[in-house]
Amino acid sequence: MSPVSRAKHVVCALSGGVDSAVAALLLKWKGYQVSGLYMRNWDQLDETGVCTADKDCEDAKFVCDTLSIPFHEVNFVKDYWHDVFSIFLKQYERGLTPNPDIMCNRVIKFDRLIEHAFQHLHADAVATGHYARTNLGDSFLRLTEEDVKRDIKRDESPVRLLKSVDSWKDQTFFLSQISQNALRRTIFPLGDLTKDVVKKLAVQAGMERIAKKKESMGICFIGTREFKTFITEYLDPKPGNFVGIEDYKVKGQHDGHFIYTIGQCAKIPGFPHKMFVTDKNPDTNEIFVAPGTNHPALYHQTCMTDSVHWINEPPPQLLEREMLDCFFRFQHADPLVKCTLTLAGEGSVIVSLEKPLRALTPGQYAVFYLGEECLGSGQILQNGPSLYALNWKQYHSGEWRWDPATEESTDYGQTHDFKKDTWDRWRNFLQGKFKWKDPFNGG
């Protein structure tokens, strides 16, 4: 690759990990003036009394020394606490299960960090180690002085967020709330590489220590602690009941609905059978549970989001027809599932999935794709009726069974149009004609 004619300044966000290290390396190879910027968001000590942020900062400095680029550090601890973590806690109190990584990218990394890089470090662009691409790439930095003299202007058409070449490592899910303004000024150098190539490049560049570093997993501020131990440091225990979804009887007690999430094994003390969380009521502090990890109460085919954040703009098909066929996921590593989006007012959508999914979780983000493009996302506010709610009479009479292995239901009685039934129940639910009270009210 030929170096740019006039070296532009790219500030690369460094985490202390191999991905961002190689992102900085590639930028330097391309001839850019590169600076490293470490972002400190959390100062909590781990169980050994060591601040992991300090260790990551040391590794980020090591990367900069190895690449002979300037090192900078910025402290966003206060911003992170007020604009990410406090919201995280409030949503858990409301019975939701939020995704702090998506929230952090939207509010901190692709807003505060970019603002800091441009205002204080005089950056021409920002780069990160995310596995993602854009249709613009780094072409916006390649205008020369001659281009400016010839009045060749920068492309101002909307920038599209595209999946990375490495489908397993693709991180567009976590970038699904990024703004168009941020995307226009960001480069993703790893978008065309696979993880194994990235590690090899790090070793070749003298950063074997970083390449061998254990990859961070899970939520950064929880670390290796059990979630219950972590969350009860910030939210007071609030005893309540585990309630069976099939008979509405109390199965045991818990220390707070916010400790559990949908699909999780409840581990009820003294209860002989494994029970799994199907729903929560934060008002009554009840957690509803069902026997078996694949109980039909855990499966939903519809959900409703809040106002969707479209990275580019709302797709024309959605505006013209009020419906859009695309693809959906609500967990980073889950396969994409075909879905239909229907406008539901104030920018929200109803998501109708091609097949029921297990443990659709309010608070998580419904992320939408069309081809290689990540369109954006909306936070799931509520689910439509579960397969159990739709078929409870037939389930208890033995006329209906759900087999998650084949993703099919078997109706031994009168057949019905499952998709139409699901949609009609969801519409009635929104209009207040369908309410879930107990398993024997016809819900």
Side-chain angles (χ1 to χ4, degrees):
M1 288 178 226
S2 60
V4 291
S5 57
R6 176 165 108 33
K8 299 292 180 69
H9 183 205
V10 181
V11 172
C12 186
L14 296 178
S15 65
V18 67
D19 295 330
S20 58
V22 172
L25 171 67
L26 295 175
L27 291 167
K28 187 174 180 181
W29 280 356
K30 293 187 77 172
Y32 291 116
Q33 176 193 346
V34 184
S35 296
L37 178 58
Y38 178 76
M39 177 178 65
R40 188 181 292 271
N41 293 332
W42 195 260
D43 282 332
Q44 180 80 21
L45 299 179
D46 65 15
E47 289 83 352
T48 62
V50 177
C51 180
T52 56
D54 289 341
K55 293 191 294 185
D56 290 337
C57 186
E58 286 179 13
D59 288 336
K61 286 180 181 178
F62 169 78
V63 170
C64 289
D65 290 341
T66 303
L67 300 180
S68 299
I69 62 176
F71 171 81
H72 303 276
E73 181 180 352
V74 60
N75 190 311
F76 289 134
V77 171
K78 185 181 293 185
D79 301 74
Y80 191 91
W81 180 274
H82 288 294
D83 299 327
V84 176
F85 188 65
S86 294
I87 295 172
F88 170 88
L89 293 178
K90 289 177 183 176
Q91 292 195 352
Y92 261 99
E93 285 185 302
R94 288 168 47 203
L96 302 176
T97 304
N99 187 315
D101 293 324
I102 292 179
M103 295 162 64
C104 177
N105 279 331
R106 180 187 67 198
V107 177
I108 307 297
K109 185 172 289 186
F110 291 93
D111 185 20
R112 310 293 165 77
L113 183 138
I114 287 181
E115 182 182 348
H116 179 87
F118 276 80
Q119 290 187 0
H120 298 283
L121 303 180
H122 310 293
D124 293 303
V126 167
T128 74
H130 287 96
Y131 287 82
R133 297 178 296 144
T134 71
N135 63 312
L136 198 60
D138 63 352
S139 62
F140 65 97
L141 288 176
R142 295 188 172 274
L143 284 180
T144 65
E145 293 179 2
E146 288 72 21
D147 291 332
V148 175
K149 289 178 183 178
R150 287 184 292 163
D151 201 29
I152 297 177
K153 297 180 180 178
R154 174 175 161 176
D155 185 4
E156 294 296 334
S157 59
V159 183
R160 295 185 297 125
L161 178 64
L162 307 176
K163 290 187 285 187
S164 67
V165 168
D166 189 336
S167 59
W168 178 251
K169 289 299 296 181
D170 175 65
Q171 292 175 303
T172 52
F173 177 88
F174 299 108
L175 302 173
S176 61
Q177 288 274 311
I178 190 173
S179 72
Q180 183 68 203
N181 180 54
L183 195 61
R184 182 172 293 284
R185 300 188 287 175
T186 302
I187 303 170
F188 301 112
L190 305 188
D192 294 316
L193 301 180
T194 58
K195 183 74 176 191
D196 59 333
V197 170
V198 167
K199 286 189 174 183
K200 288 177 183 177
L201 290 174
V203 172
Q204 291 172 5
M207 297 185 288
E208 185 175 2
R209 155 184 157 186
I210 304 299
K212 290 184 175 181
K213 185 177 178 181
K214 187 177 180 181
E215 196 164 0
S216 60
M217 302 293 288
I219 300 172
C220 62
F221 49 73
I222 296 178
T224 59
R225 286 173 293 178
E226 182 186 34
F227 180 75
K228 179 178 179 179
T229 302
F230 166 79
I231 198 69
T232 51
E233 291 179 10
Y234 299 93
L235 299 178
D236 293 331
K238 186 180 178 183
N241 291 327
F242 286 112
V243 178
I245 198 72
E246 290 189 357
D247 56 12
Y248 221 65
K249 292 182 179 178
V250 174
K251 307 298 181 182
Q253 282 70 46
H254 60 80
D255 294 328
H257 67 82
F258 47 78
I259 296 171
Y260 296 86
T261 188
I262 307 301
Q264 179 180 352
C265 183
K267 296 181 180 178
I268 304 173
F271 200 76
H273 308 297
K274 284 188 177 181
M275 304 293 280
F276 292 81
V277 177
T278 65
D279 203 356
K280 302 188 292 183
N281 186 335
D283 295 327
T284 62
N285 200 29
E286 291 174 309
I287 296 178
F288 298 95
V289 292
T293 186
N294 287 313
H295 192 280
L298 287 162
Y299 287 81
H300 296 78
Q301 199 163 359
T302 51
C303 64
M304 185 176 184
T305 73
D306 65 359
S307 181
V308 176
H309 168 77
W310 301 106
I311 294 172
N312 187 339
E313 56 186 16
Q317 307 97 303
L318 186 63
L319 297 178
E320 293 167 6
R321 300 188 294 121
E322 296 189 352
M323 298 183 76
L324 171 70
D325 293 328
C326 60
F327 288 85
F328 161 97
R329 66 162 51 111
F330 76 103
Q331 295 287 345
H332 161 57
D334 285 357
L336 291 172
V337 176
K338 288 183 180 180
C339 71
T340 299
L341 308 184
T342 305
L343 283 178
E346 298 184 0
S348 64
V349 296
I350 294 172
V351 184
S352 302
L353 301 168
E354 182 182 54
K355 62 180 183 180
L357 291 182
R358 184 185 184 278
L360 272 177
T361 307
Q364 292 288 297
Y365 284 87
V367 183
F368 307 118
Y369 292 83
L370 198 56
E372 292 297 300
E373 183 177 4
C374 176
L375 300 175
S377 63
Q379 195 172 32
I380 299 173
L381 294 182
Q382 58 181 325
N383 292 328
S386 69
L387 298 192
Y388 177 70
L390 290 169
N391 300 279
W392 70 270
K393 285 184 179 179
Q394 295 91 332
Y395 175 83
H396 284 285
S397 67
E399 296 176 356
W400 179 88
R401 285 292 179 265
W402 164 248
D403 184 358
T406 60
E407 297 170 350
E408 293 179 354
S409 59
T410 303
D411 191 341
Y412 299 105
Q414 184 178 0
T415 59
H416 60 272
D417 187 332
F418 179 76
K419 288 187 176 181
K420 182 178 184 299
D421 192 26
T422 301
W423 172 253
D424 288 344
R425 289 293 186 96
W426 178 234
R427 183 179 56 196
N428 291 340
F429 177 77
L430 291 176
Q431 294 173 350
K433 299 176 183 177
F434 167 87
K435 292 186 182 298
W436 175 261
K437 293 182 181 178
D438 63 66
F440 304 109
N441 72 343

